[in-house]
Amino acid sequence: MGPSARPHDGGALTRVAVAQLPLRVGEPEANRAAAAEAVAEAAAAGARLVVLPELVNSGYVFTGAEEARDLAEPADGPTVTAWGRLAEDHDLVIVGGFCELAEGVVRNSQVMVDPTGTRAVYRKAHLWHDEQDVFAPGDAAAPVVDTALGRIAMMVCYDLEFPEWVRAVGLAGADLLAVSTNWPVSPVPAGERSVLVAHAQVAAAANRMFVAVADRCAAERGVGWVCGTSVIGPDGYPLAGPVLRDGPAVLVADCDLAAARDKATGPRNDVHRDRRTDLYGISRTR
């Protein structure tokens, strides 16, 4: 468990936790147990918000659509029901990803639960690589949910790489973006950080909001992971993490979520107000 790397000045602080889990495809009970253990650890550390990875119940590296369908469950199934109980028991907001079966369709989904029950279900809109053979893409905007802690937005993995999608939740008033992800590892030049972690840092800085990323660990069917679990402040710099090592972890950071409502980067600049929307729609020819 890691403490906040840098203190925040300002208003009331919310302790945010991100959990990096060793998930296994086809082992839903073990995966749910790992998530429950991480939530309990985060709660014991004083967290009020816990973010879990993508596809917690099912694992990620499927043999095909049939295996994913066999592992999928509805939004009132055992995974989300268990998270709802944990949220109530520990007075938490929990955001996590799960393989969902809804009206006969399999989706890469994310849920938010709090002590009152399920607050939102989001279906990943941007499908990466072989996900296109397994899941139907979401067809609704990423939600921004008013919670007792603040305004929390939801997004899954590849969604974060689309600035328009991230900007939309920023403009909708998100104080924090909770990202559930399984980032596959890829070569990184010496001395550099994974560009996937950089996407999260830029998303935070470009919208002056917190970004909490829960990645996974434990190689699965030959696929390794970035292990980029982290909490990033509105200036784009990490408050906790990234982990960048293969193994389970629970990181916490104290975040002044209300500070994300100030979009100023200086006395004369504001990341939202300074947008030139009058120019962005103009097409140019070479």
Side-chain angles (χ1 to χ4, degrees):
M1 180 173 61
S4 171
R6 294 184 291 115
H8 260 305
D9 296 324
L13 299 180
T14 298
R15 183 155 290 183
V16 174
V18 284
Q20 183 165 292
L21 303 180
L23 304 174
R24 301 289 184 188
V25 70
E27 298 184 16
E29 291 185 6
N31 294 341
R32 284 193 285 268
E37 182 178 345
V39 169
E41 180 179 342
R48 299 294 314 286
L49 167 65
V50 183
V51 184
L52 302 172
E54 180 180 10
L55 295 173
V56 169
N57 59 325
S58 62
Y60 184 90
V61 187
F62 305 112
T63 55
E66 184 176 345
E67 184 177 42
R69 178 174 290 273
D70 288 344
L71 294 166
E73 59 188 77
D76 60 356
T79 297
V80 177
T81 298
W83 293 349
R85 285 196 299 265
L86 288 167
E88 185 176 9
D89 290 346
H90 296 291
D91 191 24
L92 294 170
V93 176
I94 299 173
V95 178
F98 71 110
C99 186
E100 182 190 19
L101 183 64
E103 298 179 347
V105 177
V106 180
R107 297 185 189 271
N108 186 337
S109 297
Q110 188 185 35
V111 66
M112 179 189 296
V113 296
D114 70 9
T116 70
T118 297
R119 298 297 309 278
V121 176
Y122 166 68
R123 281 83 183 236
K124 185 176 183 179
H126 303 89
L127 299 181
W128 169 257
H129 195 45
D130 290 345
E131 293 175 23
Q132 298 171 71
D133 301 327
V134 173
F135 300 111
D139 55 7
V144 178
V145 182
D146 268 314
T147 75
L149 309 178
R151 304 165 184 162
I152 300 173
M154 303 164 63
M155 212 163 278
V156 180
C157 200
Y158 190 38
D159 287 327
L160 188 65
E161 298 183 39
F162 293 83
E164 307 93 330
W165 205 240
V166 178
R167 178 71 85 193
V169 298
L171 292 173
D175 300 325
L176 180 144
L177 172 58
V179 182
S180 300
T181 191
N182 288 181
W183 278 335
V185 72
S186 59
V188 176
E192 293 289 345
R193 179 173 290 179
S194 169
V195 71
L196 297 173
V197 176
H199 277 302
Q201 293 186 241
V202 170
N207 291 281
R208 299 291 300 175
M209 66 183 176
F210 294 89
V211 175
V213 178
D215 199 2
R216 62 162 291 173
C217 59
E220 186 177 76
R221 292 177 171 169
V223 178
W225 314 99
V226 172
C227 301
T229 299
S230 50
V231 181
I232 300 162
D235 57 4
Y237 294 106
L239 296 168
V243 175
L244 302 181
R245 60 173 176 77
D246 189 27
V250 175
L251 305 183
V252 298
D254 292 325
C255 303
D256 179 5
L257 296 185
R261 299 179 188 182
D262 179 2
K263 303 303 180 183
T265 55
R268 301 181 65 181
N269 292 99
D270 180 295
V271 295
H272 286 176
R273 186 191 63 214
D274 292 346
R275 294 177 307 122
R276 288 297 306 275
T277 56
D278 56 319
L279 299 179
Y280 299 159
I282 297 174
S283 61
R284 292 187 173 92
T285 57
R286 295 183 179 181

